[in-house]
Amino acid sequence: MTVYNNISLFEMMKENRQIKSFEKTMSILVVSNINLKSPGESIIKYVLEKELKTNINIECRKSYEISCQRCMSEHDEIILLYFESEVEDESSGQKEMAFVQEIFLKSFGISDGILYISDAVGHRAIEKRLDEVFNSHGLHLVEYYDFYLANRKNYNYGYYDMRKFVSCDCAYSVAGLFSISTVILRYLKIKHHLYKKCLILDCDNVLWGGTLEERGVDGISLDIAYPGNIYYKFQHFIKYLSKKGVILALCSKNDEEDVLNMINSHPFMLIRETNVATYRINWKNKVENILDISNELSMDLNDFVFIDDSPEEIGQVNMLLPSVHTILFDHFFKYHFVEQFQVFAYFDLNYNTEEDASRNEMYHIEKLRKQSLKKIVDEKEYIRFLQLKLTGESLNEFNRERMVQLQTRTHRANLSSRIYSHKQLEEMYQSGTKITCYKLQDRYGEYGYIALTVIEEKGRDLYIKDFYLSCRALGKNIEKEIIEHMILSCNQEITQVSIDYMETNKNLDFFHLLIKILRDMGINVHTNRIVKQIN
């Protein structure tokens, strides 16, 4: 059962008309051997726009409708979906193979990756042969999803509608089309690193049952017996997310002293104050508090997921902060929260580094730093007070995973918006490209890895291909120290620096800062302006 099973096609179309236009657009082509145009296109568009906050241009076509290279190459993403109705037919696997071969006979231009959704009984038996066909056309990044095996308990009901298949050649019910849409959604999030960073939680009837102000610490519902175990299990899952690097914040209409007492003293509380990066516990409206959290953590609003039990609070955030993804902690969600997080892939839970597990603790320490700043008026004096220590190290097997994460998490201090895989970083390093990973610490503790630079030395010219700096290190003059380290690491005196730069609505200030630092050092700067490559 998916989280969309309780929504009707009429409700979806009504809500879809209310979705605002977004700045970004993604074009998707779905090629299938069955008819998905209606209502498939509408449902897939609805799910993707609602979850990605992006305009989606989608086309659903049968394979015989694809007749030229341009049809494939003009789309950002290609999805192949195969359905075999004759489930007892031994040749179903052969028909699936013929479908894939037909795609490549009629069209060329898939180069970056593909999602292949199969609903054929013989799919697993021919997966190796399918790989050979894909590989022969230079396509190696193929993700398979076996829709039949994943949903066979619903076969012939729930996700399937044989009456619709006979009448209009579409085998899936509305619930089935929603399920296919969430598979596509998860693929896009993983491939394009479209993850959120921070989870903002209400407290009453989310972390515990009941209202703290009315019931007190002893009266709220939180233990290992029903119904308190609902909230206990939810907190256990949230603790798991925090160990995976998800930043936690609290936003609750309550008295701060009461909530902190509850968090730090209740025997069944799993989320303690040290597990939370920041909080806004007061009687202000949630929109204002979320904006404050965004400013404090130096994060964009589209990095947040907000969970609240109040439809009114959720509605207000949706209206005034549409970039924030909201989840209503209702009766359905409280029993299916694990499924919802898995289906919609809000956060990157594929990898786990040692630094991820301590991420919230790092933000907690950052609050102590900012409290010190309030006591010290002069900024330069504050920097000296912190006793910052920057260290650089070459790419290695221990820091490589953290560097991949840093690229995907860094938007403001990111020159090119390029994202390198583990393999690409290793290949560049082995070919002689100088890749340096920087760690930072101060009198309070470790910041962990905060910067990555990718540079090449060409005589007396320095080529800065990429520069990524964590927002946690911004405002501490670390940029200048890293540039000085770059210059000193070169074999000859540098007279000119060339920088790759792709302008976004977030990185312009960082770019201008680097230019100023280099020019103040008496170095000429040349900018190579790059544009985003469409898949």
Side-chain angles (χ1 to χ4, degrees):
M1 185 174 82
T2 73
V3 294
Y4 274 126
N5 277 2
N6 59 345
I7 186 171
S8 70
L9 179 60
F10 174 77
E11 291 171 327
M12 181 274 296
M13 296 179 69
K14 179 181 178 181
E15 184 175 349
N16 199 34
R17 288 196 297 268
Q18 300 172 351
I19 294 179
K20 297 180 181 180
S21 60
F22 304 105
E23 293 181 2
K24 298 181 180 179
T25 300
M26 181 177 291
S27 180
I28 298 173
L29 175 64
V30 180
V31 186
S32 177
N33 73 326
I34 58 172
N35 175 36
L36 292 175
K37 291 183 179 179
S38 180
E41 286 184 350
S42 298
I43 291 177
I44 296 172
K45 179 181 175 67
Y46 164 75
V47 172
L48 298 186
E49 287 190 338
K50 183 178 177 64
E51 301 298 328
L52 297 180
K53 308 295 185 182
T54 300
N55 283 317
I56 299 295
N57 293 330
I58 186 163
E59 293 182 76
C60 295
R61 301 187 185 183
K62 289 192 173 184
S63 56
Y64 65 80
E65 296 177 307
I66 305 298
S67 60
C68 64
Q69 177 179 352
R70 181 171 168 270
C71 286
M72 302 292 264
S73 59
E74 67 184 3
H75 295 86
D76 297 326
E77 291 295 340
I78 313 297
I79 288 97
L80 303 185
L81 193 149
Y82 184 82
F83 175 89
E84 177 51 60
S85 60
E86 301 175 31
V87 296
E88 302 298 333
D89 191 344
E90 295 180 0
S91 65
S92 60
Q94 300 297 331
K95 293 179 180 179
E96 187 176 12
M97 180 68 69
F99 167 73
V100 171
Q101 291 173 329
E102 182 182 19
I103 296 297
F104 288 107
L105 284 173
K106 293 185 175 181
S107 178
F108 308 91
I110 310 174
S111 59
D112 187 52
I114 196 167
L115 171 63
Y116 186 80
I117 304 175
S118 174
D119 208 355
V121 175
H123 167 72
R124 287 300 177 108
I126 63 165
E127 192 170 303
K128 184 176 180 180
R129 291 178 58 200
L130 286 171
D131 268 328
E132 292 175 354
V133 174
F134 286 126
N135 292 338
S136 68
H137 288 85
L139 187 62
H140 305 288
L141 300 176
V142 181
E143 180 170 329
Y144 292 96
Y145 184 83
D146 195 321
F147 189 82
Y148 171 71
L149 285 181
N151 304 288
R152 59 184 172 183
K153 64 181 179 181
N154 296 300
Y155 195 72
N156 280 333
Y157 65 94
Y159 288 169
Y160 299 89
D161 189 337
M162 291 301 106
R163 182 178 62 178
K164 196 161 61 171
F165 178 53
V166 173
S167 62
C168 63
D169 198 26
C170 181
Y172 301 108
S173 64
V174 170
L177 290 168
F178 270 126
S179 183
I180 290 172
S181 302
T182 57
V183 174
I184 297 172
L185 170 70
R186 188 164 59 249
Y187 166 75
L188 294 176
K189 282 191 173 181
I190 292 172
K191 182 179 176 184
H192 294 282
H193 302 276
L194 301 173
Y195 300 114
K196 307 297 183 180
K197 295 181 182 179
C198 180
L199 179 61
I200 303 178
L201 298 161
D202 183 26
C203 293
D204 290 336
N205 294 308
V206 174
L207 291 182
W208 53 74
T211 304
L212 183 61
E213 185 186 32
E214 296 176 356
R215 298 187 182 184
V217 173
D218 296 331
I220 57 91
S221 181
L222 179 65
D223 50 47
I224 57 174
Y226 183 82
N229 62 348
I230 295 173
Y231 306 97
Y232 183 82
K233 290 180 178 180
F234 181 63
Q235 284 198 34
H236 188 272
F237 180 71
I238 297 303
K239 195 75 176 285
Y240 161 78
L241 294 181
S242 72
K243 291 180 179 179
K244 288 290 187 179
V246 176
I247 298 167
L248 302 182
L250 302 182
C251 183
S252 174
K253 287 184 176 178
N254 254 308
D255 287 328
E256 181 177 314
E257 184 179 352
D258 292 343
V259 172
L260 293 181
N261 178 48
M262 170 69 190
I263 289 174
N264 293 320
S265 66
H266 195 283
F268 290 103
M269 276 296 301
L270 299 177
I271 305 299
R272 302 295 186 182
E273 186 177 354
T274 54
N275 302 129
V276 177
T278 188
Y279 53 79
R280 292 296 185 276
I281 303 169
N282 50 46
W283 297 98
K284 297 180 181 179
N285 67 73
K286 298 291 178 71
V287 170
E288 184 179 348
N289 281 332
I290 291 174
L291 288 173
D292 284 346
I293 291 173
S294 174
N295 291 329
E296 179 182 338
L297 299 181
S298 298
M299 289 185 186
D300 295 315
L301 292 172
N302 57 15
D303 291 327
F304 294 121
V305 174
F306 172 57
I307 300 180
D308 198 297
D309 69 306
S310 168
E312 290 77 16
E313 300 284 9
I314 291 292
Q316 187 178 45
V317 173
N318 283 337
M319 180 179 295
L320 300 178
L321 303 177
S323 297
V324 176
H325 187 95
T326 59
I327 299 175
L328 179 63
F329 196 95
D330 57 5
H331 182 77
F332 179 83
F333 177 81
K334 70 171 60 175
Y335 294 106
H336 299 280
F337 55 83
V338 175
E339 179 185 13
Q340 173 136 346
F341 275 82
Q342 289 174 340
V343 167
F344 295 113
Y346 298 123
F347 302 103
D348 182 4
L349 305 179
N350 296 314
Y351 302 102
N352 186 213
T353 66
E354 185 177 338
E355 190 171 311
D356 288 331
S358 59
R359 191 176 304 280
N360 282 283
E361 184 180 350
M362 289 179 180
Y363 275 94
H364 183 70
I365 293 175
E366 182 64 21
K367 289 185 69 174
L368 299 178
R369 295 188 181 103
K370 290 182 177 180
Q371 290 173 2
S372 299
L373 176 59
K374 292 179 181 178
K375 300 176 183 178
I376 303 174
V377 178
D378 185 71
E379 186 176 347
K380 291 183 179 179
E381 182 185 347
Y382 172 66
I383 297 296
R384 289 194 297 270
F385 170 79
L386 288 179
Q387 299 175 0
L388 295 167
K389 182 180 179 182
L390 181 73
T391 56
E393 59 187 42
S394 299
L395 186 73
N396 57 55
E397 60 179 314
F398 302 105
N399 58 35
R400 190 165 53 237
E401 174 56 42
R402 177 64 188 118
M403 293 305 100
V404 173
Q405 289 184 344
L406 183 64
Q407 297 170 76
T408 61
R409 292 175 179 270
T410 305
H411 303 293
R412 292 189 182 277
N414 180 340
L415 290 178
S416 71
S417 297
R418 281 188 286 243
I419 298 177
Y420 300 106
S421 66
H422 304 78
K423 184 179 179 181
Q424 288 172 320
L425 284 174
E426 184 62 29
E427 288 176 348
M428 287 193 301
Y429 180 71
Q430 294 298 332
S431 68
T433 300
K434 189 176 293 185
I435 301 177
T436 308
C437 315
Y438 292 91
K439 299 176 72 173
L440 184 66
Q441 68 179 59
D442 64 14
R443 67 188 302 155
Y444 289 104
E446 297 279 349
Y447 288 78
Y449 289 102
I450 52 90
L452 167 68
T453 60
V454 181
I455 64 175
E456 294 178 4
E457 186 180 355
K458 300 177 180 180
R460 301 184 67 179
D461 292 350
L462 177 64
Y463 172 32
I464 301 179
K465 190 173 183 180
D466 284 288
F467 191 152
Y468 309 86
L469 180 66
S470 170
C471 61
R472 291 180 290 121
L474 288 172
K476 297 180 173 64
N477 296 328
I478 295 301
E479 308 87 355
K480 182 178 179 181
E481 193 170 345
I482 292 176
I483 288 179
E484 289 174 346
H485 184 271
M486 283 186 201
I487 303 296
L488 291 173
S489 68
C490 295
N491 296 319
Q492 299 187 46
E493 182 181 353
I494 298 300
T495 58
Q496 178 169 295
V497 170
S498 177
I499 299 177
D500 275 1
Y501 176 60
M502 184 180 77
E503 183 177 341
T504 68
N505 60 349
K506 301 176 183 178
N507 67 358
L508 189 59
D509 290 340
F510 180 66
F511 171 68
H512 286 160
L513 175 62
L514 297 187
I515 296 293
K516 183 179 185 304
I517 292 172
L518 288 164
R519 287 177 177 166
D520 288 346
M521 296 171 66
I523 297 175
N524 294 324
V525 182
H526 174 73
T527 303
N528 305 314
R529 293 194 176 267
I530 58 178
V531 295
K532 183 178 180 181
Q533 298 296 316
I534 302 298
N535 295 336

